């Protein structure tokens, strides 16, 4: 411990983790995120960014291989680097993948499922790894990716898309584990991954496609790092804390060095991550949960509601306050009023609940106009450790109801049930034009049985 | 001009440049650098980093294609992305590729040949582009890559390997030009390239292999950016000066915005770049030139010399002062005394002139001990616009001679002749184990005739 760097400690842990070291609840949660990611990839498979990247895979990659595109429109198999390039893009594009919202220092910077699972699946298929090996490698990569993201911290996140910059290192660790690299080779892979770390937020300025590029390329680049390390390419030994490394070059503010290796093998980041349950902006989720609870408890229907006041935290007002009316399906998910209207009318706000037709629905638009947001000082103080929400509903009858939630549904404290994950997966698959429901049954069954699978091929292809 | 950004201006220029717009001296210099890069790639083909990356290409890429590895030990053809990945690594590994040392603000940050030519060759082979198209695309990419490097400036260069971070954008522009993308698509390619920009100096701490990763991946990533832009992937429109773009995220100090588009089409960066003539550290070059001139002019032989004093600038003392005795061939190139000993004894200091045997040569070691370095205030003041050097030789006879050079050989003011470039190429090829000298003759002949070639395939493979 004294003589080695934190990066060496992390790499050694990553190389040595065994399936039997992983607590069962972590195994189960890993399977939950895996199925969730598969659903996201199927939902995103028709996006133009995904299609462009798939065409690159067709042109530049082999015409066949052991690794499958996750039910892409283009049915072909390829090498793991290219399969993960495309799957890493498709699983991120509908914005329904995981997040990590509880960390005090740096909320929202751990959403690594979209890179770890696509890369792990592609490599495991190539190497014919077992379900147990797959799960172990995913736990390794998720842990490494999240810890690097936490190390890089908030000021990094303001400039860089840390899903990718931490993610590429997580992918390298996952791939290294599947390749059975030793600690030295894993350290080398982490180094080569880190020197490729990239991803800027500039795409937010004009809604261009870099977000998918970042996750797809994080997969590709992390796989490159691990395979080339196996074949003798040496990566820098301390790409995190070295004098010319990521902490210096990519972090304008403070890093969190202890995040690299504190409580390794005791805490598992998978257990601290959240699912996105509703398909809207995450900042609407506590209010949606509170409203749905309120309506159910008090037997209030969509048509009974005269007005809604939501009490929330400042960060939600900052983001949602800019949304306007919501002229497109995407924009409408950032309007608190419209999202609550959808939830109230449909009883849920899943990806298939936001449609072009809904944008023209006068009853939804009318409801939207009767929703107001207010800052709540207590809720704001508790954020981001707790994503709380309170709604106050005034009914046309004059009755008034109030309901609060302490956590958003999908948070570690309020996890999705298996049944809910299945529902979300089915909605994502339908959104992706996946018509064969028996195929979805089979995917779900295999995911829940993952640790007993001898092979991860043929999963959804 | 008023309404468009500098980045748009640059992209439009890049898309629209035609062969007939390029002055003949720029065409000739481009061919010089192309041949020089081929030689470097052949010399670097056996390096472990190159081999590891080539194995990745074999495993992840197609088993055949139109693009050739530049006389790699592994004889196979592949897709342009993978060919350039390997060639971009091999052409950088022996450190004999170009540099740009004159710019006042930011010396030594424009060495783009190692990414532009490998990428351009691989793509041109795939698209069956003509020699004229190839040259035009190289001029475009060299210009864009160097200008981005100059925009990012000195503080960026202290943290990032700008050969790669500017280079990836140059490669995207080169590839876009060969693909005949329009200005909007080229802008998109530049944006997608820039959001992938990466490359940290941490590898310097432990002499690991990232330098080759950076150049190889800059080729791959830039090609990805251009091909995917052609297929509909949208990149951010202002990846240089936007509020979340490279200038903000990757530059801790000042940027040089005017470098992006000032005098576009009038100045050509190719004309401002330098060759490396000697195989030693660049900071030894003015002294080597001065010593060789002195010995020739005054008919002084190796054995006649009692002692040498070299007068140089502070930056040279900073780098060379750390070198020690030079225990390995690589280290010996950073010892002023050893380098001058080699030059004095062999009459040159080319890549084949530094060998394991020389390290054990007592006459060289003895000469090395009789060389001292001194700071020269005038020379230091002129640096880095001028890389001057003065040597004062005291002969065993008691005679004293002094010689100064104003520029290093290979600088734009003192360019290599075609004969010298051929000599350097032959030395590089021999170093790379390239035994067939008639093949080298053919490469040289084709390079000098490049604008008349209908096709760039079969160049060296």
């Amino acid at each position: 411990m004294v003589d080695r760097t934190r990066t060496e400690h992390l790499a050694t842990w990553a190389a040595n983790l065994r399936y039997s070291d992983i607590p069962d609840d972590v195994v189960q949660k890993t399977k939950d995120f895996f199925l969730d990611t598969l659903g996201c990839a199927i939902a995103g498979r028709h996006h133009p960014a995904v299609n462009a990247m798939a065409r690159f895979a067709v042109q530049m990659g082999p015409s066949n291989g052991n690794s499958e595109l996750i039910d892409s429109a283009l049915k072909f198999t390829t090498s793991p680097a290219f399969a993960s390039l495309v799957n890493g893009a498709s699983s991120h594009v509908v914005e329904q993948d995981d997040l990590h919202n509880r960390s005090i220092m740096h909320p929202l910077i751990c959403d690594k499922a979209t890179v770890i699972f696509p890369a792990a699946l592609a490599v495991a298929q190539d190497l014919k790894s077992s379900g147990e090996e797959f799960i172990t490698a995913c736990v390794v990569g998720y842990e490494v990716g999240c810890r690097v993201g936490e190390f890089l911290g908030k000021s990094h996140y303001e400039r860089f898309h840390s899903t990718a910059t931490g993610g590429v290192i997580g992918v390298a660790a996952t791939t290294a584990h599947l390749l059975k690299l030793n600690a030295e080779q894993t350290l080398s892979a982490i180094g080569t991954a880190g020197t490729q770390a990239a991803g800027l937020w500039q795409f937010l300025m004009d809604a261009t496609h870099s977000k998918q590029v970042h996750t797809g390329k994080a997969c590709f680049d992390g796989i490159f790092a691990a395979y080339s390390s196996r074949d003798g390419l040496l990566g820098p030994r301390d790409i995190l804390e070295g004098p010319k490394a990521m902490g210096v070059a990519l972090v304008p503010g403070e890093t969190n060095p202890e995040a690299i290796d504190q409580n390794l093998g005791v805490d598992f980041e998978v257990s601290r991550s959240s699912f996105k349950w509703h398909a809207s902006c995450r900042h609407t989720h506590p209010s949606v949960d509170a409203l749905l609870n309120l309506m159910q408890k008090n037997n209030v229907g969509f048509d009974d509601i005269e007005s809604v006041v939501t009490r929330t935290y400042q960060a939600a007002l900052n983001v949602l306050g800019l949304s306007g009316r919501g002229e497109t399906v995407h924009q409408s998910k950032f309007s608190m009023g419209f999202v609550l209207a959808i939830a109230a009318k449909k009883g849920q706000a899943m990806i298939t609940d936001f449609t072009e037709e809904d944008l023209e629905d006068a009853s939804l638009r009318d409801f939207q106009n009767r929703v107001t947001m207010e800052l709540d000082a207590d809720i704001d103080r508790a954020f981001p450790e707790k994503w709380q929400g309170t709604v106050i509903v005034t009914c046309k009858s004059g009755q008034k109801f109030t309901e609060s939630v302490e956590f958003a549904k999908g948070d570690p404290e309020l996890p999705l049930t298996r049944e809910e994950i299945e529902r979300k997966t089915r909605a994502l698959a339908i959104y992706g034009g996946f018509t064969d429901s028996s195929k979805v049954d089979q995917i779900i069954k295999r995911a829940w049985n993952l640790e007993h699978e001898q092979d991860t091929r043929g999963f959804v292809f």
Side-chain angles (χ1 to χ4, degrees), chain A residues 152-433:
Chain A
L152 296 170
K154 198 171 175 175
S155 71
H156 173 79
Y157 180 66
E158 284 166 4
R159 298 187 174 187
F160 295 90
H161 184 192
S162 61
T163 307
T165 54
V168 66
I169 297 182
V171 169
T174 284
T175 308
H177 202 275
L178 288 167
L179 287 167
K180 305 188 197 301
L181 301 193
N182 64 29
E184 277 294 299
Q185 293 169 313
T186 301
L187 185 69
S188 190
I190 285 172
T192 297
T195 203
Q196 298 175 79
L200 304 173
W201 290 118
Q202 181 61 23
F203 71 88
L204 292 174
M205 301 299 129
D206 42 20
T208 43
H209 296 150
S210 308
K211 204 166 188 215
Q212 292 76 53
V213 170
H214 298 162
T215 53
K217 281 298 301 321
C219 292
F220 187 99
D221 297 345
I223 288 175
F224 165 75
Y227 274 80
S228 60
S229 291
R230 184 196 60 182
D231 290 336
L233 190 128
L234 299 176
R237 295 185 65 84
D238 196 354
I239 200 61
L240 301 180
E241 297 190 277
K244 297 278 188 182
M246 294 174 79
V248 171
L250 306 181
V251 183
E254 294 281 302
T255 57
N256 306 298
E258 72 290 343
I260 297 171
D261 67 343
Q262 203 172 46
N263 292 329
L264 263 178
V266 179
D267 293 345
F268 284 90
E269 295 284 346
V270 169
S271 303
R272 298 165 62 197
S273 296
S274 300
F275 292 90
K276 285 182 190 152
W277 175 232
H278 311 299
S280 53
C281 173
R282 180 74 179 177
H283 292 304
T284 67
H285 290 203
S287 301
V288 172
D289 290 335
L291 180 64
L292 290 174
N293 289 353
L294 180 152
M295 290 173 72
Q296 191 181 25
K297 272 188 195 170
N298 302 291
N299 202 25
V300 172
F302 176 72
D303 294 324
D304 301 330
I305 295 174
E306 176 58 35
S307 67
V308 183
V309 176
T310 72
R311 298 182 62 83
T312 186
Y313 44 85
Q314 187 62 46
L317 298 176
N318 293 349
V319 173
L320 303 173
L322 300 172
S323 68
R325 185 174 174 265
E327 301 296 338
T328 67
V329 168
H330 180 74
Q331 287 170 351
S332 74
K333 295 175 180 176
F334 288 81
S335 159
M336 179 71 93
F338 196 80
V339 170
L340 292 187
I342 289 280
K345 188 165 185 181
K346 305 193 179 192
Q348 62 179 21
M350 305 195 81
I351 193 165
T352 42
D353 295 315
F354 291 83
T355 68
E356 294 288 339
E357 293 72 48
D358 292 324
L359 298 177
E360 308 302 324
D361 181 330
S363 72
L364 291 170
R365 290 300 189 181
D366 186 44
F367 191 105
Q368 175 184 25
N369 292 333
R370 291 181 275 115
V371 174
T372 47
M373 292 190 286
E374 285 180 2
L375 179 66
D376 183 298
D378 290 336
I379 289 176
D380 191 53
R381 213 169 295 119
F383 182 84
E385 295 90 63
K386 291 185 178 182
W387 290 46
Q388 298 175 311
T390 293
V391 296
I392 304 154
V393 168
T394 305
C395 289
K396 288 170 184 164
S397 64
Q399 280 185 294
K400 246 184 158 169
F401 299 103
T402 299
E403 179 77 18
S404 295
V405 295
E406 203 178 354
F407 300 101
K409 191 172 179 65
D411 277 354
E413 298 81 0
L414 206 66
L416 300 188
T417 65
R418 285 266 156 107
E419 186 277 330
E420 287 166 338
I421 294 169
E422 293 180 14
R423 252 176 80 197
K424 182 181 168 192
T425 303
R426 290 181 199 284
L428 288 165
I430 289 167
Y431 182 84

Side-chain angles (χ1 to χ4, degrees), chain A residues 19 22-31 451:
Chain A
Y19 182 76
I22 309 171
D24 184 61
D25 63 308
V26 174
V27 169
Q28 298 308 322
K29 194 88 181 269
T30 301
K31 288 155 55 180
E451 66 271 43

Side-chain angles (χ1 to χ4, degrees), chain A residues 426 437-447 453 458-459:
Chain A
R426 290 181 199 284
S437 71
S438 72
K439 188 74 192 294
V440 182
D441 294 340
Q442 193 194 322
I443 293 167
I444 290 170
K445 196 174 157 193
R446 279 192 79 181
E453 293 276 342
F459 217 98

Side-chain angles (χ1 to χ4, degrees), chain A residues 8-157:
Chain A
E8 286 169 338
H9 188 195
L10 182 65
T12 304
W13 175 84
N16 293 332
L17 188 75
R18 294 295 162 259
Y19 182 76
S20 56
D21 302 329
I22 309 171
D24 184 61
D25 63 308
V26 174
V27 169
Q28 298 308 322
K29 194 88 181 269
T30 301
K31 288 155 55 180
D32 293 352
F33 280 118
F34 172 57
L35 181 60
D36 196 51
T37 306
L38 287 179
C40 289
I42 295 169
R45 66 187 180 146
H46 294 303
H47 190 276
V50 177
N51 292 342
M53 290 168 74
R55 278 196 287 274
F56 182 77
V58 169
Q59 290 171 85
M60 299 295 167
S63 55
N64 56 57
N66 292 321
S67 303
E68 303 155 1
L69 301 200
I70 297 176
D71 227 272
S72 153
L74 279 165
K75 296 275 180 192
F76 75 107
T77 57
T78 180
S79 63
F82 282 107
S84 71
L85 177 76
V86 180
N87 295 338
S90 60
S91 63
H92 200 44
V93 74
V94 297
E95 302 279 350
Q96 286 290 284
D97 44 309
D98 69 311
L99 75 165
H100 188 294
N101 61 0
R102 215 186 51 171
S103 185
I104 296 170
M105 294 299 293
H106 26 80
L108 279 170
I109 59 173
C110 187
D111 47 344
K112 300 297 183 287
T114 187
V115 293
I116 299 303
F117 292 107
L121 186 64
V123 174
Q125 289 177 335
D126 193 42
L127 301 175
K128 303 179 181 51
S129 310
S130 71
E132 282 194 1
E133 290 169 327
F134 174 81
I135 290 169
T136 310
C138 289
V139 170
V140 163
Y142 204 95
E143 193 69 24
V144 170
C146 288
R147 283 174 177 272
V148 171
E150 293 184 27
F151 161 68
L152 296 170
K154 198 171 175 175
S155 71
H156 173 79
Y157 180 66

